[in-house]
Amino acid sequence: MEKKNRVIGIRVIDLDEVDSTNEYAKRIAPEVPEGTVVVAKRQTAGRGRRGRSWASPEGGLWLSVILKPPRLDGRLVFVGALAVSDTLADFGIPSGIKWPNDVWAGGKKISGVLTEGKAGEYTVLGIGLNVNNPLPEELRESATAMVNFIGARVPLERVLERLLFHLDGWYRVFLEMPELMMAKVRERTFILGRTVRVIEDDNVLIGRAVDVLDDGSLLLDIGGQLRRVLYGDVSLRFL
Ligand code: BT5
């Protein structure tokens, strides 16, 4: 990628501590150019989806990218997931996407993506990637960090640099050829063919994950009936 064409990472705001990089990014979004990145060493109120919290002690990569796409599009979450997965591959760590917003490695969650947007104005793409950070006791069974695969501290600046590079590349693919991006998402989604439980608002659906469609939704086969799910929490271990 020619550096002069880069959008993501042209400006990086580096903070020691913040409530949440997504909140900070939303506050400054109207005034800054597209591609501005907010990164913090620690978050005191890191957030996941639906009001859940995100553990963000020092040593991990906690960042938000301010994007100004032509329209709100839920598929922006995949720009984050694909870029994280490519970054992990650069460090020799195989990973897969757990639709819609997680990246897993070695059977555990290593990264989560949270997109938040304001129609016609901006989308904030927030990414949490466990690198050298410790994980709270209650997450040790379900979460992991890059350091566990490499066995030594991973240079955080290097990870950030690779992640921004891949985000820039996938954002371009998203804008120009979204179906190509979705083909990659399909290839990297490890839940396809498996029986999953999906919580979609108040609905609990159990079925076989058949496909990820071009609009980003998940196609479930529930006892022979096909059902499209636009958004939800997927779990594989529920029996
Ligand atoms: C996510 O939510 O996976 C999206 C996480 C996005 C975090 C980034 S960090 C930078 C930016 N600023 C923010 O404030 N947020 C974004 P969700 O799918 O709802 O998953 C949340 C669940 O993941 C929690 O309920 C925990 O079970 C688990 N979790 C919390 N912290 C974790 C961590 N550090 N690593 C792995 N799992 C974690």
Side-chain angles (χ1 to χ4, degrees):
M1 198 70 59
E2 291 268 327
K3 201 156 187 166
K4 62 179 161 55
N5 292 330
R6 267 186 85 149
V7 174
I8 296 181
I10 41 156
R11 182 170 167 213
V12 178
I13 301 174
D14 210 330
L15 307 169
D16 279 339
E17 188 173 283
V18 71
D19 49 354
S20 147
T21 56
N22 265 36
E23 290 306 320
Y24 189 98
K26 286 193 279 181
R27 293 194 284 267
I28 64 167
E31 278 88 50
V32 298
E34 173 169 68
T36 302
V37 173
V38 180
V39 56
K41 289 193 179 64
R42 303 177 288 280
Q43 296 184 115
T44 53
R47 292 188 299 104
R49 297 177 300 155
R50 306 176 183 211
R52 289 188 286 247
S53 69
W54 182 260
S56 324
E58 199 158 331
L61 199 51
W62 326 122
L63 66 90
S64 299
V65 185
I66 295 157
L67 298 172
K68 304 196 173 178
R71 63 196 69 84
L72 283 186
D73 190 323
R75 295 177 298 182
L76 272 168
V77 69
F78 302 121
V79 169
L82 287 167
V84 166
S85 158
D86 279 351
T87 301
L88 291 169
D90 289 343
F91 288 85
I93 304 172
S95 64
I97 296 174
K98 183 157 140 316
W99 181 93
N101 72 314
D102 289 6
V103 179
W104 282 38
K108 295 180 175 186
K109 180 162 172 168
I110 195 164
S111 174
V113 184
L114 175 69
T115 53
E116 298 178 277
K118 193 162 180 193
E121 293 187 34
Y122 61 81
T123 295
V124 167
L125 174 62
I127 299 175
L129 172 60
N130 298 317
V131 183
N132 300 310
N133 55 294
L135 289 160
E137 189 64 48
E138 69 275 14
L139 292 177
R140 299 233 168 106
E141 285 291 300
S142 60
T144 190
M146 289 177 75
V147 66
N148 298 332
F149 294 84
I150 294 176
R153 284 186 75 78
V154 190
L156 212 49
E157 334 64 67
R158 250 327 257 157
V159 185
L160 175 63
E161 184 201 304
R162 295 314 296 161
L163 183 58
L164 295 182
F165 171 80
H166 291 302
L167 282 167
D168 191 66
W170 283 115
Y171 185 49
R172 198 174 309 272
V173 178
F174 160 79
L175 290 174
E176 290 167 13
M177 291 166 288
E179 53 306 317
L180 186 73
M181 179 185 80
M182 291 314 301
K184 219 30 165 192
V185 170
R186 208 167 286 128
E187 198 180 297
R188 302 240 178 113
T189 300
F190 63 86
I191 62 170
L192 296 183
R194 299 172 68 171
T195 299
V196 296
R197 183 186 67 187
V198 186
I199 300 181
E200 181 203 44
D201 300 322
D202 293 334
N203 285 327
V204 180
L205 307 165
I206 294 179
R208 196 167 55 85
V210 177
D211 203 359
V212 178
L213 304 178
D214 275 350
D215 65 359
S217 59
L218 179 70
L219 192 65
L220 276 186
D221 177 340
I222 306 172
Q225 295 249 25
L226 292 178
R227 168 89 139 76
R228 263 180 66 212
V229 187
L230 271 173
Y231 184 88
D233 282 321
V234 171
S235 67
L236 293 159
R237 302 183 196 123
F238 60 92
L239 297 171

